[in-house]
Amino acid sequence: MDIANRPLDAQIAFVTGASKGIGAVIAERLASLGATVILCGRTAALLEDIAKKIRGDGGKAEGVVCDVTELGSVEAAAEWVRKNHGHIDILVNNAGVGVFGRPLHELPPESWDAIFNTNLRGVYYCIRSFAPMMIRTGRGHIINISSIASKNAVLNGAAYSASKWGLNGLTYSVAEELRGHNIRVSVICPGSVATEFSPHTGKDSSKMLDPQDVAHAVAMLVTQAPNSFASEIVLRPTQKP
Ligand SMILES: NC(=O)c1ccc[n+]([C@@H]2O[C@H](COP(=O)([O-])OP(=O)(O)OC[C@H]3O[C@@H](n4cnc5c(N)ncnc54)[C@H](OP(=O)(O)O)[C@@H]3O)[C@@H](O)[C@H]2O)c1
């Protein structure tokens, strides 16, 4: 494959929640564009399966077990990347959890904590741990995977919705903080995507977005011209599922 088809050659990407679903497909897409991809998740065997698949397709990938809710775990992963690769070009904050099906007043506090610790605190920990490496090289992309739930009311999904509204606010603010360092911080807000993430009760999975659609948006963001900064992508299925 020539350089035009591998525009991310020599770039290092760290993708959280890359062991399955949207994150795995984003990782595969970035690797197909030439990046060396570090897959982050809590389950070593799943990470290794995806890394092997990418390597089998001629890409470069390694799994690093990392829980984004634990600062020490994220710092150790960032240090591993620094030692082994020296720099980071792309951080995709994709790991996320949701709890649906109950009104907020019936949601257990443990579920609230799991949602916010993963979807918001985890993103803060990753930016805290990886942004300094990007600042040193004077370039980078940070892409946060939010949701259309960040734009809408979500019946029986208030905590998830609030975490994603919060993630958008975090993204817009950090984008301004890091812009002067030539680091583009953007957010993708997909509608329903056919993964194991939620039961998507009552929805037609054949009309949902495919993880490839989200990966396509990520690929677009990381291959923009240097002076172009698409800061937010709202990605809807053509037909309502
Ligand atoms: N599917 C949808 O309809 C949809 C729509 C809009 C937005 N999104 C967003 O897209 C992202 C990915 O969703 P998905 O559908 O691909 O979900 P998924 O299939 O459930 O995958 C979630 C991934 O996150 C990882 N993960 C969860 N907690 C983690 C933690 N504490 N530390 C590190 N990794 C963790 C999981 O691996 P381990 O459990 O092994 O750690 C897994 O790889 C989420 O942020 C979600 O909110 C999804």
Side-chain angles (χ1 to χ4, degrees):
M1 206 181 266
D2 63 30
I3 188 70
N5 291 325
R6 298 185 72 99
L8 304 182
D9 253 347
Q11 296 203 21
I12 308 297
F14 188 86
V15 181
T16 71
S19 62
K20 59 179 176 174
I22 296 168
V25 176
I26 291 172
E28 289 168 10
R29 179 67 66 98
L30 293 175
S32 78
L33 295 171
T36 296
V37 183
I38 318 302
L39 313 168
C40 152
R42 295 168 300 178
T43 316
L46 294 178
L47 294 172
E48 196 40 44
D49 284 349
I50 303 296
K52 262 192 198 147
K53 182 168 183 274
I54 291 174
R55 291 195 294 264
D57 291 340
K60 288 171 273 179
E62 296 158 87
V64 169
V65 174
C66 168
D67 182 341
V68 299
T69 69
E70 300 287 337
L71 181 58
S73 180
V74 178
E75 285 178 340
E79 180 54 17
W80 184 91
V81 170
R82 193 196 60 75
K83 261 195 182 155
N84 289 279
H85 297 285
H87 68 280
I88 177 100
D89 300 281
I90 299 165
L91 166 64
V92 182
N93 288 308
N94 163 78
V97 297
V99 178
F100 303 98
R102 293 175 188 217
L104 188 70
H105 66 273
E106 291 178 7
L107 188 78
E110 311 83 76
S111 299
W112 173 275
D113 287 345
I115 291 168
F116 277 84
N117 286 348
T118 311
N119 300 2
L120 213 39
R121 183 181 288 266
V123 174
Y124 156 53
Y125 285 168
C126 286
I127 291 173
R128 181 182 158 83
S129 302
F130 284 98
M133 248 190 280
M134 290 182 173
I135 289 170
R136 276 199 292 280
T137 53
R139 64 172 192 275
H141 285 278
I142 298 175
I143 299 170
N144 297 331
I145 307 300
S146 181
S147 167
I148 201 83
S150 70
K151 304 279 177 188
N152 297 332
V154 180
L155 180 70
N156 294 332
Y160 178 73
S161 171
S163 74
K164 295 297 192 179
W165 280 73
L167 179 57
N168 288 12
L170 179 150
T171 307
Y172 307 146
S173 304
V174 178
E176 291 308 312
E177 292 169 2
L178 295 181
R179 209 169 169 174
H181 296 283
N182 200 31
I183 298 167
R184 287 168 274 185
V185 185
S186 50
V187 64
I188 301 176
C189 308
S192 296
V193 185
T195 70
E196 295 165 9
F197 179 76
S198 89
H200 294 301
T201 311
K203 291 193 176 170
D204 177 351
S205 62
S206 70
K207 292 183 178 161
M208 288 183 195
L209 293 164
D210 187 275
Q212 291 288 355
D213 300 320
V214 184
H216 181 71
V218 171
M220 190 279 279
L221 290 174
V222 298
T223 55
Q224 287 171 100
N227 284 351
S228 167
F229 174 27
S231 55
E232 179 165 18
I233 296 177
V234 180
L235 193 58
R236 301 172 197 275
T238 308
Q239 307 295 328
K240 282 194 173 177

